[in-house]
Amino acid sequence: MALNSIKTNKTEYEIIRHTKTNSLAMLMIEILSRSVHCHSDLEIGMILEGNIDLVIDNEVFKLKKNDIYIVNRYQPHSFYSNKHHNKIVIFLINHALYKNIGPDIIYKKNHIVYDEKNSDLYTTIFECAMCYASEIAFTELGAGAKALDLIYKLSKIADPFIDEQSTKQSRSKGKRLQRITDYMSEHHSENITLEDIANLESLSTYYISHFIKKMTGTTFTEYLNNIRFDHAFSLLNKTTLRISDICCEAGFSDSRYLNRLFKQKMGIDIQSYRKNIDKIELPLTDQPYMTVQNHISQSKFMSELKRYYEENFKE
């Protein structure tokens, strides 16, 4: 199945639209890469096929088939597939679903390795997913109930704790990250510095430097150059601008530096790429876009779930 490339030039604070129910969204996707982002929903995912790396706070979780991952509310995270095919079913649970009946739980364990002893947990995941995908009456009630059961079962094995202050701090960090990366995306063609970011947030350059490194896994300079490189690559493919003009538009002051970066990332120099642009087919994972993912259509939800359940869990 071909993947659709969705270009984003910034770490984003993602707003989830819950279209079928007010408090629960479910996706089935294939991911090659997903840039650092966060959202106000509790995210629970299960790997149906292949494997993928989940990055949280610079810690890499190598997810394999049947593994479950948890991303807490406002917790910045990213995905990298390392050229491996994968398929993931994801639940995005809004706090409104459970805030009136229980605390805002934070899970210490982000990765749950597949274990047959947790068979009831996997059953709940599939019951919730299949109920969500169903067209029968009151399906939203059933899916919501199963989602609550899923949160409860995870609380037994994922080391949860209750700390409202931590939730507030995470929300604050997520919004700060959004402001910083928005600014970098909007001003990437200018000579912006770490001091500019520090002034934006009224914080020291030392603090901002460590904050960006911790939240994105890269330094300020590396992240900014990735944004600029994405823009330069797009201009190279969509326009006939001279390389010097592309450098200016993207924010690079030196075409030699861009060429060196291009060869490092793409394995070919700019001039050779441009001369053979119609002949070169780069793997999707070598594209510089920060987000490359494909959503499985709603019409295939149920058939994919049933097939996977029958092949892996049905006795």
Side-chain angles (χ1 to χ4, degrees):
M1 181 180 295
L3 296 184
N4 299 323
S5 297
I6 306 173
K7 183 176 180 181
T8 57
N9 281 334
K10 59 187 178 182
T11 304
E12 63 222 61
Y13 178 85
E14 186 176 20
I15 298 175
I16 308 298
R17 290 192 300 173
H18 301 84
T19 54
K20 189 164 186 177
T21 73
N22 292 328
S23 304
L24 176 66
M26 192 187 88
L27 312 171
M28 187 181 292
I29 61 176
E30 297 171 339
I31 302 179
L32 285 176
S33 63
R34 184 69 169 90
S35 60
V36 181
H37 63 290
C38 63
H39 42 70
S40 61
D41 289 343
L42 171 66
E43 178 174 340
I44 301 169
M46 180 175 175
I47 314 303
L48 303 182
E49 295 178 14
N51 51 63
I52 192 167
D53 290 349
L54 167 66
V55 183
I56 299 176
D57 291 334
N58 288 333
E59 184 174 0
V60 180
F61 301 95
K62 294 191 173 296
L63 310 176
K64 299 179 180 179
K65 182 178 179 179
N66 296 337
D67 284 0
I68 295 170
Y69 73 84
I70 305 170
V71 178
N72 294 298
R73 300 175 65 219
Y74 305 106
Q75 190 169 44
H77 56 290
S78 58
F79 293 96
Y80 299 95
S81 71
N82 294 323
K83 300 186 180 182
H84 294 294
H85 170 77
N86 61 68
K87 188 174 292 180
I88 308 170
V89 61
I90 298 174
F91 300 90
L92 295 159
I93 305 172
N94 190 276
H95 188 217
L97 183 68
Y98 58 94
K99 69 178 182 180
N100 290 328
I101 58 174
D104 190 5
I105 295 174
I106 300 173
Y107 295 100
K108 294 181 183 178
K109 186 180 292 187
N110 294 105
H111 180 197
I112 300 173
V113 178
Y114 174 70
D115 189 333
E116 291 183 356
K117 292 186 298 184
N118 297 324
S119 59
D120 59 333
L121 175 62
Y122 295 98
T123 299
T124 300
I125 287 176
F126 281 99
E127 287 179 346
C128 182
M130 294 179 76
C131 189
Y132 183 95
S134 173
E135 296 298 328
I136 62 175
F138 304 111
T139 181
E140 65 276 7
L141 293 177
K146 291 296 180 183
L148 288 174
D149 192 25
L150 175 57
I151 292 173
Y152 173 67
K153 284 185 168 66
L154 286 173
S155 69
K156 297 180 178 181
I157 59 177
D159 299 332
F161 69 98
I162 302 168
D163 187 348
E164 292 184 5
Q165 186 61 33
S166 292
T167 301
K168 291 179 181 178
Q169 290 174 355
S170 296
R171 184 189 299 116
S172 177
K173 288 179 180 179
K175 290 182 177 180
R176 172 171 291 154
L177 184 62
Q178 181 189 12
R179 289 194 300 270
I180 291 172
T181 53
D182 281 354
Y183 184 87
M184 292 170 72
S185 293
E186 292 166 7
H187 300 273
H188 71 270
S189 62
E190 304 170 20
N191 185 29
I192 60 174
T193 65
L194 193 60
E195 286 76 12
D196 293 327
I197 305 298
N199 291 335
L200 179 71
E201 293 296 314
S202 300
L203 293 166
S204 70
T205 54
Y206 177 84
Y207 180 90
I208 288 296
S209 176
H210 283 76
F211 177 82
I212 293 174
K213 177 67 174 178
K214 181 178 180 180
M215 299 295 275
T216 70
T218 63
T219 65
F220 164 77
T221 301
E222 290 169 338
Y223 193 85
L224 180 57
N225 280 338
N226 283 337
I227 292 175
R228 287 171 170 169
F229 183 79
D230 272 10
H231 191 66
F233 186 83
S234 178
L235 291 174
L236 187 65
N237 282 274
K238 296 178 180 179
T239 73
T240 58
L241 287 174
R242 295 180 302 175
I243 303 302
S244 59
D245 292 332
I246 288 177
C247 284
C248 184
E249 288 288 330
F252 290 109
S253 59
D254 187 346
S255 60
R256 289 175 297 180
Y257 178 77
L258 173 59
N259 191 61
R260 187 164 63 249
L261 194 62
F262 194 92
K263 193 168 185 178
Q264 175 187 326
K265 289 178 175 288
M266 314 304 287
I268 188 173
D269 62 76
I270 294 178
Q271 293 293 352
S272 298
Y273 176 78
R274 176 161 265 184
K275 288 178 182 178
N276 299 279
I277 197 167
D278 294 328
K279 300 177 183 178
I280 296 175
E281 293 186 11
L282 296 170
L284 277 173
T285 44
D286 288 336
Q287 301 289 341
Y289 302 129
M290 298 177 73
T291 296
V292 184
Q293 63 185 32
N294 177 58
H295 287 250
I296 308 302
S297 66
Q298 290 285 334
S299 61
K300 293 183 178 179
F301 253 41
M302 188 64 83
S303 61
E304 289 285 335
L305 288 169
K306 286 182 177 179
R307 179 183 64 81
Y308 181 81
Y309 185 75
E310 290 174 357
E311 291 178 358
N312 294 275
F313 294 101
K314 191 174 181 179
E315 297 181 356

